[in-house]
Amino acid sequence: MTETTATSNRMLERVALVLDAVDGSSASASELARRTGLSVSTVHRLALSMVEYGFLRRIDDGDFKLGHRFVRTALESIAAPVLTELRNATGETAQLWIRRGERRICLVTVDSQHELKATLPAGSALELPNGSSGRLLSRDPEALDSVEQHGWVESVGRRTPGLGSVSAPVMLRDQMIATLCLAVPLIRVEASPGLDFGEKVVRAARLIGTELEMGKQL
């Protein structure tokens, strides 16, 4: 076994230890250290990295819980009908995006029924930041200011010429866990993506968060 392989295996063992330690309950870094036998500094550093990649999430009191990679089905099942209703109400493609490291991943998509439409299959990965959802997931200051002011952030031809979008955060317990994006060819935009569709997108994003909270799915 090479030194690199041995190091990788040790890291995987530690990740597995931490995942087992939070299975079914939350835990502080010190409690994780006690459950895993790792030092507090090691487990805290590892846990923060695992948060970045969705293996863990951090709750209000600073404790760690299993992350959204392990509860994706709940988010998908709640979001899909909401996105379908949004698509039907606007005629445009509705997508749910999550962050994974320095990329955003399309978790759910419901395509427009127009011949000319914006479309990306579920599972598509795009680098951050780009587009309205990319800017929001990367916590771009201008995007956050727009959400604070309007509830949404828009993009007009930033990623793809001729394509616009408007996105709103999906919040759960004051944390942004995803973004809801409506993507539309600019030829069908009257004022701007945000002004045309922003209110509907914000309502849909809030509905997903509310249903997650009520169902205690995450």
Side-chain angles (χ1 to χ4, degrees):
M1 181 183 296
T2 66
E3 183 178 346
T4 300
T5 301
T7 300
S8 298
N9 286 345
R10 283 196 298 272
M11 179 61 71
L12 288 173
E13 288 173 2
R14 290 175 174 179
V15 168
L17 283 171
V18 172
L19 290 176
D20 287 343
V22 297
D23 189 16
S25 64
S26 62
S28 65
S30 59
E31 177 61 17
L32 287 176
R34 187 189 68 79
R35 295 179 186 179
T36 62
L38 301 172
S39 69
V40 174
S41 60
T42 295
V43 79
H44 187 256
R45 184 168 58 251
L46 180 59
L48 290 177
S49 295
M50 292 171 70
V51 168
E52 279 293 306
Y53 287 91
F55 293 108
L56 298 178
R57 64 185 174 90
R58 207 161 189 189
I59 56 180
D60 293 343
D61 60 6
D63 285 1
F64 296 94
K65 295 189 72 171
L66 284 178
H68 304 305
R69 280 186 184 272
F70 299 98
V71 290
R72 182 176 297 180
T73 300
L75 182 56
E76 287 176 338
S77 63
I78 287 174
V82 177
L83 265 63
T84 299
E85 185 175 340
L86 179 63
R87 187 279 310 274
N88 292 343
T90 62
E92 305 300 343
T93 296
Q95 303 163 336
L96 189 77
W97 292 88
I98 55 175
R99 179 170 181 165
R100 289 291 177 258
E102 295 306 310
R103 292 185 172 189
R104 60 180 171 118
I105 309 295
C106 184
L107 189 61
V108 183
T109 184
V110 180
D111 283 352
S112 167
Q113 296 175 325
H114 290 293
E115 185 174 356
L116 176 63
K117 59 188 174 185
T119 181
L120 279 173
S124 296
L126 298 175
E127 297 293 328
L128 295 173
N130 54 58
S132 56
S133 276
R135 292 169 59 210
L136 192 51
L137 287 169
S138 61
R139 308 194 72 83
D140 173 78
E142 288 186 6
L144 294 178
D145 286 345
S146 180
V147 169
E148 182 71 23
Q149 182 177 359
H150 305 293
W152 47 260
V153 57
E154 67 178 2
S155 177
V156 180
R158 286 198 177 197
R159 186 177 70 82
T160 303
L163 179 66
S165 67
V166 53
S167 295
V170 176
M171 306 294 293
L172 181 64
R173 293 185 284 274
D174 298 322
Q175 293 185 8
M176 179 169 57
I177 62 167
T179 57
L180 194 160
C181 174
L182 194 76
V184 53
L186 293 177
I187 194 171
R188 289 200 292 273
V189 171
E190 296 182 4
S192 76
L195 293 175
D196 288 3
F197 304 108
E199 289 187 9
K200 289 184 172 65
V201 171
V202 170
R203 284 199 298 270
R206 289 175 178 169
L207 178 59
I208 294 172
T210 298
E211 293 194 1
L212 284 169
E213 180 67 35
M214 291 177 61
K216 303 185 186 301
Q217 295 280 1
L218 293 183

